[in-house]
Amino acid sequence: FLNTVYEKFFQGFSVKVADTHGIVYTPQPIVQFMVKSVQEILRKEFGRSFSDSGVHIIDPFVGTGSFIVRVMQEMQKSRLSAKYANELHCNEVMLLPYYIASMNIEHAYYELTGMYQSFQGVCLVDTFELAEGKQLPLMTEENTARAKRQQEMPIFVVIGNPPYNAGQVNENDNNKNRKYPAIDGRVSRTYGKESKATLLRKLSDPYVKAIRWASDRIGDEGIVAFVTNNSFVTELTFDGMRRCLESDCDAIYVLDLGGNVRKNPKLSGTTHNVFGIQVGVSINFLIKKKGTEPR
């Protein structure tokens, strides 16, 4: 119910916010598939699991908390308390979903353990802005401490559904995506520099920034699992991005779900898209391992 209220509210009453933040509720089958897949990758590639100590997990665009809740359900009950208190992290920039995510995560913990415990791993912050070394001016002292603590944590798994919208619905509506000098600079110096394309506007899409940020955040080893716009898979603009990902990662799995209504006139409306949106979608797993050659 809360998830439905969240999505309907922004799409019905705050369309500009929904547009720039790419607010689309992730279907539970996709959440479940991604979480199960990451658990299998952890086992197969690293001999670890969500339950293991030291496997810090973050959803940097948490929305209603679906991914964190599903990760908790995948953990061993005996390890859940310690993981919940220390190794689960998430960020949300808007107040309504921030509160909904907190409620959903805390309720899931109560259902799994029979005890209520407030969740200290959620931060009211813009993940990209945090990477700039800035924090929201309205942060409370407690929230600031949470954000600082999160920045010091060695993240091993990044999972979620980042926003994706290279522009806006109407070029005249003054609803441009925000600029982030540090992240934008990283994208330009890597994905942009390696590209042979002349038009690179689409590299400003938030999902591209999210992949760049996540790849940097896990460092030399870890997993990035995002469901995103699928344009980076084949479009010329993203040739440099593909080249960098191939170089940076030891293994990449992309499940292209198609659904690009704009490019395929045979797909009418939004019924052929898993999110009910116009752009195509893919589920992506990026894996980095220490001491191995990329493959």
Side-chain angles (χ1 to χ4, degrees), residues 93-109:
V93 68
M94 291 179 291
L95 199 58
L96 176 60
Y98 166 83
Y99 280 122
I100 293 175
S102 297
M103 293 169 65
N104 279 338
I105 293 168
E106 289 170 0
H107 183 67
Y109 183 78

Side-chain angles (χ1 to χ4, degrees), residues 165-176:
N165 173 17
Q168 69 260 25
V169 174
N170 185 336
E171 284 295 326
N172 297 317
D173 69 5
N174 194 29
N175 197 32
K176 297 280 188 182

Side-chain angles (χ1 to χ4, degrees), residues 72 80-81 84 105-113 115 117:
M72 289 166 57
L80 182 56
S81 179
Y84 182 82
I105 293 168
E106 289 170 0
H107 183 67
Y109 183 78
Y110 175 77
E111 286 189 321
L112 291 167
T113 66
M115 298 180 293
Q117 179 67 43

Side-chain angles (χ1 to χ4, degrees), residues 15-127:
V15 177
K16 286 188 176 183
V17 174
D19 181 28
T20 54
H21 285 77
I23 294 171
V24 183
Y25 172 57
T26 311
Q28 281 300 313
I30 290 180
V31 175
Q32 178 163 330
F33 172 78
M34 290 175 64
V35 170
K36 286 280 191 180
S37 296
V38 172
Q39 181 79 308
E40 176 61 17
I41 292 169
L42 280 169
R43 184 195 66 78
K44 182 179 178 181
E45 298 285 352
F46 301 99
R48 307 176 80 177
S49 75
F50 285 130
S51 303
D52 288 350
S53 178
V55 178
H56 286 259
I57 303 145
I58 188 170
D59 182 345
F61 316 97
V62 73
T64 58
S66 299
F67 284 96
I68 295 295
V69 167
R70 189 62 189 82
V71 166
M72 289 166 57
Q73 293 169 347
E74 198 70 17
M75 290 179 176
Q76 298 172 7
K77 294 288 180 65
S78 60
R79 292 289 305 145
L80 182 56
S81 179
K83 299 290 292 190
Y84 182 82
N86 302 301
E87 298 186 2
L88 289 178
H89 315 278
C90 56
N91 295 334
E92 177 51 50
V93 68
M94 291 179 291
L95 199 58
L96 176 60
Y98 166 83
Y99 280 122
I100 293 175
S102 297
M103 293 169 65
N104 279 338
I105 293 168
E106 289 170 0
H107 183 67
Y109 183 78
Y110 175 77
E111 286 189 321
L112 291 167
T113 66
M115 298 180 293
Y116 171 78
Q117 179 67 43
S118 64
F119 181 54
Q120 301 297 308
V122 59
C123 298
L124 180 62
V125 67
D126 183 334
T127 292

